[in-house]
Amino acid sequence: MTAQLIPETQSLQHTEREALKQTFDKDGFFVIKNVVSPAKLAELHRSLDTEFQKGKASGALFNGGGMMSGHLNCFPGEGARLIYETLCARGIIDLIKELHPQANQMPNVGCNYNLPHSVPQHYHTDRDFTRDFMICNIAVVDTVIENGAMEIIPGTHKEYYKYWQFVTKGITRNSMRLPMKQGDVVVRTSNVWHRGMPNLTSVPRPMLAFTWEDGGSTQPDPFAVEEGKITFRPNWFRPTRLGRIREQLFVKVPLSYSGYRFATSLYSKKGY
């Protein structure tokens, strides 16, 4: 996997686009460095941190829903619009649509919020193999090993695996971490296996996500949902009594969830 570096105000050139397309075909993802200026991301970072601390202090945040495992979803609000417009100007959104013509609408707008003391996620893809979609992540801050840089397995998008096959074939031996500087972009398919990793620092680590499930957002303006306000949402686990029990079990005995996935994949078509 190689990363492209383009000047901050320049759009992708033909040769760069072709190189990125080849990398995507081989690995299932590619990284472009220095896409969004830190100045454009700094205000969004401050806003996310302010809203999270406000919700935490007031008790408005849900109980469970990723709070125990340390991985939350988030709608980043109107402040993410400028980032999307930058990707459009740089030609990255056009490239995503070229790679996946079904991505013909504006994206769903989200953010992964990796909390301090989070735990490793299990390896997964983001949806059924035959219902793949495009994902574009933008590093709101420097994303390094210490604050939970993603672990990803290049080339795993090429073949459908049930979870038991993924485990028994030893596919994780090819995994790699994916550090990113503030403003770097990774474009990936939902079919590439990956997982969120622990944030060993004392501050949350946000990562923007534009996604094109089923072609993209059904909203007239995906940046205006929730009245354009930052909103934190559950991740894997529901904020219910049963969801909290499952999340506690996942945190305390992670092998139990692996065993459940393994057993289920023996008779289920679900591969992720």
Side-chain angles (χ1 to χ4, degrees):
M1 190 277 299
T2 57
Q4 294 287 324
L5 174 62
I6 57 176
E8 186 181 331
T9 58
Q10 181 179 312
S11 183
L12 291 170
Q13 301 301 302
H14 176 74
T15 54
E16 294 166 332
R17 292 168 66 97
E18 292 305 309
L20 291 171
K21 287 160 65 175
Q22 290 178 16
T23 299
F24 183 82
D25 182 64
K26 177 172 68 74
D27 294 334
F29 68 97
F30 58 77
V31 177
I32 309 176
K33 293 184 172 297
N34 192 34
V35 175
V36 184
S37 71
K40 292 179 180 178
L41 291 162
E43 179 58 33
L44 178 61
H45 182 209
R46 284 192 293 270
S47 298
L48 288 167
D49 183 64
T50 297
E51 290 303 314
F52 179 76
Q53 296 303 332
K54 186 188 301 182
K56 187 176 179 181
S58 68
L61 290 175
F62 38 82
N63 183 7
M67 291 292 291
M68 289 179 276
S69 58
H71 300 272
L72 302 184
N73 288 335
C74 168
F75 172 66
E78 176 66 32
R81 187 188 299 274
L82 182 61
I83 313 306
Y84 177 74
E85 291 173 349
T86 300
L87 300 187
C88 291
R90 305 298 291 276
I92 294 171
I93 299 302
D94 284 343
L95 177 57
I96 288 171
K97 293 179 178 180
E98 185 176 348
L99 288 167
H100 200 276
Q102 292 88 341
N104 54 13
Q105 298 160 198
M106 291 189 71
N108 295 294
V109 181
C111 178
N112 169 261
Y113 210 68
N114 192 344
L115 301 178
H117 314 300
S118 60
V119 301
Q121 290 182 330
H122 287 280
Y123 287 107
H124 63 281
T125 61
D126 290 309
R127 201 160 64 166
D128 291 323
F129 187 82
T130 58
R131 301 176 63 216
D132 58 304
F133 60 93
M134 296 296 286
I135 301 167
C136 180
N137 291 122
I138 304 94
V140 178
V141 298
D142 287 352
T143 302
V144 294
I145 303 300
E146 289 74 16
N147 67 358
M150 179 195 309
E151 189 165 88
I152 196 165
I153 311 178
T156 47
H157 66 301
K158 295 182 179 181
E159 183 178 347
Y160 166 71
Y161 300 103
K162 290 191 174 185
Y163 186 66
W164 72 265
Q165 295 171 316
F166 176 82
V167 171
T168 57
K169 290 185 177 183
I171 292 169
T172 58
R173 71 170 68 96
N174 298 318
S175 66
M176 60 176 285
R177 298 297 291 274
L178 200 62
M180 298 167 65
K181 298 290 288 183
Q182 185 180 41
D184 291 354
V185 167
V186 58
V187 173
R188 59 188 175 93
T189 169
S190 62
N191 278 348
V192 69
W193 286 76
H194 64 284
R195 63 173 175 169
M197 296 298 283
N199 180 356
L200 305 177
T201 72
S202 61
V203 294
R205 188 273 294 149
M207 175 75 72
L208 272 181
F210 298 134
T211 65
W212 283 265
E213 298 94 333
D214 302 316
S217 176
T218 58
Q219 301 295 322
D221 183 352
F223 297 94
V225 301
E226 307 285 358
E227 299 181 342
K229 298 177 182 178
I230 293 170
T231 307
F232 289 90
R233 298 167 174 166
N235 196 317
W236 280 2
F237 301 97
R238 294 181 179 180
T240 62
R241 183 174 180 275
L242 180 58
R244 287 189 287 273
I245 291 172
R246 288 175 173 169
E247 188 172 1
Q248 288 175 337
L249 187 62
F250 167 76
V251 172
K252 294 179 179 179
V253 194
L255 284 177
S256 64
Y257 185 63
S258 294
Y260 166 76
R261 292 179 70 198
F262 189 97
T264 302
S265 69
L266 293 172
Y267 61 84
S268 169
K269 290 183 179 181
K270 183 175 180 179
Y272 65 101

